[in-house]
Amino acid sequence: MKPISNVFYLVAPALIERVRQEMIEAGAHPSRGPRSKDWLVLSGPNRTCRFHLQAVRDDTAARLREHYFSFVVVDARCAPGEQAEQQVSLALRFVEQIHYAADPDLRYPLSRIIVVLDADHRLADQAFALGRQRIGGFVTDPLSGSLFAKMDALRDANPGK
């Protein structure tokens, strides 16, 4: 039986339907339950992930604390008409908010955060800015298998107790 991971997938409100459609095209299906529209199940080669799609809003950090999530994915790709810098700064603000919380019990480990970036001329600068935060890593094409590979690498590097 494949392990199942819960993944908190944070995305800009303008991109949430695009990401949902990308996941469905990659083979994801809604899970059962009262919030089925917010959860999508996608199986990879070695695991199954339940993605909780969450649009950025004021209570996003609180939503992260409602369940245990193996990973947090922050989709910092550009929505039409937005600047890449806005999306990356959104990712950085969220990382600061969840990792540097005043209460140590509410902090989320940086090593379990993955950021999705656009593969364009800004990639190196964006990756550098995020790397300074010591996050788990970044991917450019999350549903091609690179996201599963990154999660597997992070899980194997930090196996826990």
Side-chain angles (χ1 to χ4, degrees):
M1 185 167 164
K2 295 187 226 180
I4 299 175
S5 297
N6 288 334
V7 179
F8 189 82
Y9 198 106
L10 182 68
V11 63
L15 286 178
I16 195 159
E17 289 307 317
R18 174 180 143 192
V19 170
R20 184 184 322 281
Q21 190 59 38
E22 287 175 357
M23 286 188 175
I24 290 170
E25 289 172 4
H29 60 278
S31 65
R32 294 183 207 172
R35 291 179 155 169
S36 64
K37 186 175 180 188
D38 294 337
W39 290 88
L40 291 169
V41 179
L42 183 63
S43 293
N46 301 321
R47 74 167 51 206
T48 297
C49 288
R50 291 180 59 220
F51 289 94
H52 176 65
L53 292 180
Q54 175 67 53
V56 178
R57 54 186 204 208
D58 293 339
D59 66 343
T60 301
R63 298 292 302 267
L64 176 62
R65 296 179 188 107
E66 289 178 1
H67 299 282
Y68 171 78
F69 292 98
S70 303
F71 296 96
V72 171
V73 176
V74 180
D75 198 324
R77 294 180 288 178
C78 283
E82 288 189 341
Q83 302 266 340
E85 292 75 22
Q86 291 172 330
Q87 291 301 95
V88 172
S89 68
L90 171 130
L92 290 171
R93 281 193 315 271
F94 183 71
V95 166
E96 289 172 2
Q97 184 181 13
I98 64 173
H99 181 70
Y100 299 108
D103 183 350
D105 293 334
L106 300 178
R107 294 179 184 160
Y108 193 84
L110 292 172
S111 63
R112 296 287 182 150
I113 299 171
I114 301 167
V115 177
V116 180
L117 298 172
D118 283 315
D120 59 17
H121 67 281
R122 299 176 301 257
L123 180 62
D125 291 336
Q126 293 171 347
F128 181 77
L130 292 166
R132 289 176 44 193
Q133 295 292 322
R134 297 189 176 158
I135 63 167
F138 73 92
V139 296
T140 56
D141 189 10
L143 299 176
S144 68
S146 62
L147 183 57
F148 283 112
K150 180 61 75 177
M151 287 189 286
D152 289 341
L154 292 173
R155 185 191 68 229
D156 294 344
N158 299 310
K161 293 184 177 179

